[in-house]
Amino acid sequence: MRELSAATKAKTKQRWLQAVASRVTILRPDLALDLLDLLGVEPLETDPLAGRTIGEIAVCYEALLAELDPVARRSAGQYFTPDDAAHLMAKRSAAFPTGIWMDPCCGVGNLAWHLAGVQDDPATFVRDRLVLVDLDDHALRSAVALIAADYLAEGDTEGLAALRGRAVRRDFLTRTALPEHQFVIVNPPYARDRVRAGFATGKTQELFAFFLERIAKDSQGFIAVTPASYLSSPKFQSLRTVLETNTTGGEVLVFDNVPDTLFRGYKFGSSNSSKTNFVRAAITACSPEMSRWKTTPIIRWRAASRQRMLAGCTNLLTPRLMGPHGEWVKTAPGLEAVWETLESAQQTLADLLVSEETEHRLTVAMTPRYYISAAFRDLNRGSKTVLHFASAEDRDRAALVLNSSISYLWWRALDGGVTLPKRVLRSIPIPDTVVADPKWIERLQQTEESSVVTKLNAGSLNENVKRPRDLVDGIDALLMPDIDRDFSLVYAEDMFPSH
């Protein structure tokens, strides 16, 4: 791609401000002179942004930035929030007391715009209780103009001046004092950074962790959309500790990236062959009026169920449980008794394993999506691990657990990413009731060949074993005979079907 000249970049950004000027002056002739003074340009003869939502305008600006400087766009790691997800975040503000809200990386204002829209009095909120912060001056001025034009009262030039005065161009992470505020709404950048001294999360080298730490320490509450990995990865234990120490509680909605994904947008500026934003996201709402933490399971839905999902996802919140390595557990309502049983187990898979190779082995695929299983035979695939046991009895006890719903539930609750981490695999509980029942072991072995499935990956066929659902249900009943155990949500590809 040919590098654009500085003059071309400046002219393009000027044209962007002119496009914004056209939109806002057509919409608000009563504020036109002040809006033009803010933007510093004359409007275009037509309105190229006509009919577009604030989220669509944000996508246009994101595409513009990627065109002007794709390298910087990739390193910035910031992707604008879709309208429906931004509205869901904004609605979470109903759980907060009245106060001043800040968006510390506002872009062209889509999060703040939706936040204003759900207030009882949007005009007063924008006039008196909204702070905008961004490093990008063109985005910052655009945000002020777009939000003011849509929400300020007729002729409220003083309100526009007040909002403009609370729009600050700065790096949020510098230690200089922040603008006055109580609460934050934010979609921070998702990018690697240097180690930051002075931050408890400094060694994570992740910008979103730095943002959340500063927000948790310097604000009274927040609503944030971030990678969901912070709930489980050992790397983010420092962030979880910061949140525990500096808040009274919160609610975390956790979203999968298959079949649908919360960020449905295009990754402008990405050098990857896939341009879809496949981040597994979490929306965290942390209000001073919340007294404990709650989490959802990893939420899955089909595209056709998206609106039902957004309307009903908060119904999946349950009191947060803790994993064996400090993870914040993501499990479905109704499985509390199952989790208590697993937590009380005296043994884990690690207790049954031996380091040397033996004849008693199981093979487990390490890239699960909709199930986990263990095979007695070898699997022709790239990503796998071979487990060795001292005896056939230990192998068979492990085989029953790994081919039951326990293993999949454990992984989804403690991780649920692309791979099955070995720390999660090794920590899978072996309930005290598990006995190597020869009848069930024989059924697993007899049906194994007919249960082999293949999937083409990078030109190679990868084998796995997909156990029949009735076989898994039978093993579940064997291992957990007296426990209420409805795993339907754990396995569901769509938690919000139309019927």
Side-chain angles (χ1 to χ4, degrees):
M1 180 181 291
R2 183 174 60 88
E3 175 70 20
L4 299 177
S5 68
T8 299
K9 291 180 181 180
K11 184 177 180 179
T12 302
K13 288 190 174 183
Q14 193 81 349
R15 293 282 288 180
W16 169 263
L17 291 179
Q18 287 183 285
V20 174
S22 299
R23 178 185 176 98
V24 299
T25 54
I26 291 171
L27 182 64
R28 296 300 298 268
D30 57 311
L31 300 176
L33 291 177
D34 295 87
L35 288 167
L36 292 177
D37 178 67
L38 161 70
L39 295 168
V41 297
E42 290 297 317
L44 302 173
E45 293 183 1
T46 60
D47 178 8
L49 300 177
R52 299 191 185 277
T53 68
I54 188 68
E56 290 167 344
I57 293 173
V59 169
C60 291
Y61 191 66
E62 183 181 352
L64 175 69
L65 293 180
E67 181 69 20
L68 294 178
D69 194 343
V71 174
R73 189 76 202 116
R74 287 196 297 272
S75 63
Q78 188 159 3
Y79 304 99
F80 293 101
T81 319
D83 281 305
D84 54 5
H87 184 67
L88 172 63
M89 292 176 66
K91 288 195 302 180
R92 307 299 289 144
S93 67
F96 289 68
T98 300
I100 299 172
W101 284 81
M102 175 172 61
D103 184 341
C105 41
C106 66
V108 299
N110 56 327
L111 271 185
W113 188 96
H114 282 281
L115 180 65
V118 302
Q119 305 303 311
D120 292 336
D121 184 352
T124 299
F125 177 80
V126 169
R127 177 190 176 100
D128 299 331
R129 297 194 288 114
L130 180 61
V131 176
L132 301 172
V133 176
D134 205 281
L135 271 171
D136 182 344
D137 181 61
H138 290 78
L140 189 61
R141 284 190 280 163
S142 299
V144 173
L146 292 165
I147 293 170
D150 278 338
Y151 290 117
L152 284 179
E154 181 74 17
D156 190 6
T157 56
E158 292 182 357
L160 175 56
L163 179 61
R164 183 177 181 179
R166 294 192 306 276
V168 182
R169 183 185 181 190
R170 61 161 289 168
D171 180 349
F172 178 75
L173 295 179
T174 60
R175 298 312 301 177
T176 53
L178 297 173
E180 179 188 355
H181 72 286
Q182 282 78 49
F183 310 119
V184 168
I185 188 167
V186 64
N187 175 4
Y190 306 169
R192 294 280 289 170
D193 193 51
R194 58 183 171 83
V195 173
R196 293 231 180 189
F199 281 80
T201 58
K203 291 183 179 180
T204 68
Q205 296 183 258
E206 295 285 352
L207 280 174
F208 86 86
F210 303 155
F211 268 75
L212 279 194
E213 177 177 346
R214 177 140 208 214
I215 290 166
K217 289 180 175 178
D218 292 354
S219 306
Q220 296 177 23
F222 65 89
I223 302 168
V225 58
T226 68
S229 54
Y230 91 82
L231 285 93
S232 56
S233 172
K235 172 180 176 177
F236 295 113
Q237 181 57 58
S238 58
L239 177 56
R240 295 193 291 272
T241 300
V242 165
L243 295 178
E244 290 274 18
T245 303
N246 293 278
T247 71
T248 58
E251 297 176 348
V252 190
L253 307 172
V254 186
F255 303 92
D256 211 337
N257 62 359
V258 289
D260 196 15
T261 181
L262 189 69
F263 288 104
R264 305 184 79 174
Y266 188 86
K267 288 193 293 187
F268 297 102
S270 173
S271 58
N272 295 334
S273 57
S274 172
K275 305 295 184 181
T276 305
N277 190 346
F278 277 118
V279 171
R280 286 180 175 84
I283 292 176
T284 305
C286 183
S287 167
E289 296 187 351
M290 295 174 179
S291 59
R292 60 177 177 173
W293 281 94
K294 296 181 179 180
T295 59
T296 65
I298 303 177
I299 300 167
R300 274 183 175 157
W301 69 98
R302 296 189 184 279
S305 301
R306 185 177 179 90
Q307 292 310 308
R308 286 190 298 275
M309 182 278 292
L310 292 170
C313 59
T314 57
N315 296 329
L316 295 176
L317 285 163
T318 58
R320 182 203 57 191
L321 302 168
M322 297 297 291
H325 302 108
E327 304 97 336
W328 290 11
V329 170
K330 309 174 290 284
T331 193
L335 291 177
E336 293 84 356
V338 172
W339 192 262
E340 289 176 6
T341 298
L342 297 182
E343 273 193 319
S344 65
Q346 299 300 303
Q347 282 188 315
T348 66
L349 180 63
D351 295 318
L352 302 183
L353 299 177
V354 294
S355 57
E356 66 273 12
E357 292 189 9
T358 72
E359 61 180 312
H360 312 296
R361 66 179 67 184
L362 295 170
T363 304
V364 178
M366 299 299 280
T367 53
R369 176 165 288 185
Y370 293 111
Y371 60 91
I372 289 174
S373 62
F376 291 86
R377 51 163 283 198
D378 188 29
L379 294 175
N380 183 21
R381 59 177 296 118
S383 178
K384 64 183 177 182
T385 189
V386 179
L387 308 175
H388 294 276
F389 304 86
S391 66
E393 180 183 5
D394 285 349
R395 178 204 61 193
D396 292 347
R397 292 180 70 217
L400 289 174
V401 172
L402 291 172
N403 287 292
S404 75
S405 296
I406 290 174
S407 57
Y408 191 67
L409 168 67
W410 195 254
W411 171 68
R412 293 288 284 176
L414 298 186
D415 190 80
V418 176
T419 62
L420 170 57
K422 287 189 177 180
R423 65 176 172 81
V424 174
L425 175 64
R426 291 173 60 86
S427 71
I428 291 174
I430 308 296
D432 304 338
T433 56
V434 177
V435 177
D437 188 314
K439 180 183 70 174
W440 287 97
I441 298 302
E442 184 178 359
R443 286 190 61 183
L444 285 171
Q445 292 174 327
Q446 288 179 345
T447 60
E448 188 156 280
E449 286 302 321
S450 62
S451 299
V452 172
V453 294
T454 58
K455 182 179 180 181
L456 188 64
N457 184 24
S460 299
L461 283 177
N462 279 263
E463 289 184 330
N464 202 354
V465 173
K466 185 176 183 180
R467 302 292 183 182
R469 186 70 251 163
D470 61 337
L471 179 56
V472 176
D473 290 342
I475 296 174
D476 291 346
L478 173 72
L479 303 187
M480 298 170 280
D482 302 318
I483 304 174
D484 185 13
R485 53 180 194 284
D486 182 358
F487 294 110
S488 56
L489 279 180
V490 177
Y491 287 106
E493 292 185 32
D494 189 345
M495 296 178 176
F496 305 87
S498 58
H499 56 279

